[in-house]
Amino acid sequence: MKSIVSYLVKAGLLTMACASSAAYAVENNPAPMSFVRAIESDTQLVQHQGLAIYHPTLGFVNYETTLCGTKEKTEQAFKQLVTSVCSQQQGRVESNWCIDTKSNGPLFNAELGSFVMTCQDGEYSSIIHVLEALPSVKISAEQRNNWLQVATSFGYL
């Protein structure tokens, strides 16, 4: 069963940072694999159904799920997945961001939270939070600009 998908756009959901003057061009081609789809399909890493909220006006997907496992194994598998998907999208990883090597634009942000709770089987639990540009062929210039503003407000650049 896939993630619950909602089309919610609420005023004030995210505080937009001031507009960035950085140039950001995205080709109108879908990425080979979105990070949200990759994380959802990794059954060894993700054991719980995540929640994806699509923001079509703002041009991004917000996704969260919980992971259970040993701290070292989960961190290593997460880093490998981020690097692999970012590479497939012709990107490079800097901090928590996958950045397009051609345009220098943000493709996605993936963060692994701290291991503070335990799962039912006694292993550690952590939350993954992902922000990703909409994986769509028909993204408008306004949506690309909105995504850049969201990314900037979450620490891109």
Side-chain angles (χ1 to χ4, degrees), residues 8 30-31 41 58 62 64 66 71 82 84 87 91 100 104-105 109 111 116 120 137 152 154:
L8 298 175
S41 64
L58 298 177
N62 186 9
E64 285 191 357
T66 304
K71 182 177 180 181
V82 168
S84 172
S87 247
D100 186 302
N104 260 350
N109 174 289
E111 296 183 41
V116 293
Q120 290 177 348
V137 176
T152 302
F154 279 89

Side-chain angles (χ1 to χ4, degrees), residues 61-81:
V61 179
N62 186 9
Y63 174 82
E64 285 191 357
T65 194
T66 304
L67 305 180
C68 291
T70 64
K71 182 177 180 181
E72 294 78 20
K73 184 178 177 182
T74 302
E75 285 175 341
Q76 181 181 16
F78 179 73
K79 286 177 185 177
Q80 287 175 345
L81 185 62

Side-chain angles (χ1 to χ4, degrees), residues 16 56-60 141-151:
M16 300 297 237
T57 302
L58 298 177
F60 77 101
E142 182 180 4
Q143 286 172 312
R144 283 192 296 271
N145 186 51
N146 290 344
W147 160 240
L148 182 57
Q149 289 179 16
V150 169

Side-chain angles (χ1 to χ4, degrees), residues 9-14:
V9 179
K10 294 183 179 178
L13 182 63
L14 291 173

Side-chain angles (χ1 to χ4, degrees), residues 47-155:
Q47 299 168 3
H48 304 282
Q49 183 177 6
L51 174 66
I53 301 174
Y54 290 77
H55 301 276
T57 302
L58 298 177
F60 77 101
V61 179
N62 186 9
Y63 174 82
E64 285 191 357
T65 194
T66 304
L67 305 180
C68 291
T70 64
K71 182 177 180 181
E72 294 78 20
K73 184 178 177 182
T74 302
E75 285 175 341
Q76 181 181 16
F78 179 73
K79 286 177 185 177
Q80 287 175 345
L81 185 62
V82 168
T83 302
S84 172
V85 173
C86 188
S87 247
Q88 288 176 19
Q89 294 184 17
Q90 309 302 310
R92 69 183 185 283
V93 177
E94 288 185 20
S95 188
N96 295 328
W97 287 96
C98 175
I99 300 169
D100 186 302
T101 55
K102 293 179 184 174
S103 70
N104 260 350
L107 297 171
F108 66 85
N109 174 289
E111 296 183 41
L112 180 63
S114 60
F115 294 82
V116 293
M117 302 182 328
T118 56
C119 297
Q120 290 177 348
D121 56 4
E123 293 182 319
Y124 287 102
S125 171
S126 183
I127 294 175
I128 290 178
H129 183 246
V130 177
L131 295 174
E132 181 171 35
L134 280 177
S136 174
V137 176
K138 297 180 181 181
I139 301 251
S140 71
E142 182 180 4
Q143 286 172 312
R144 283 192 296 271
N145 186 51
N146 290 344
W147 160 240
L148 182 57
Q149 289 179 16
V150 169
T152 302
S153 70
F154 279 89

Side-chain angles (χ1 to χ4, degrees), residues 7-35:
Y7 290 90
L8 298 175
V9 179
K10 294 183 179 178
L13 182 63
L14 291 173
T15 304
M16 300 297 237
C18 47
S20 172
S21 61
Y24 175 58
V26 173
E27 298 169 345
N28 284 332
N29 296 321
M33 170 69 101
S34 81
F35 189 75

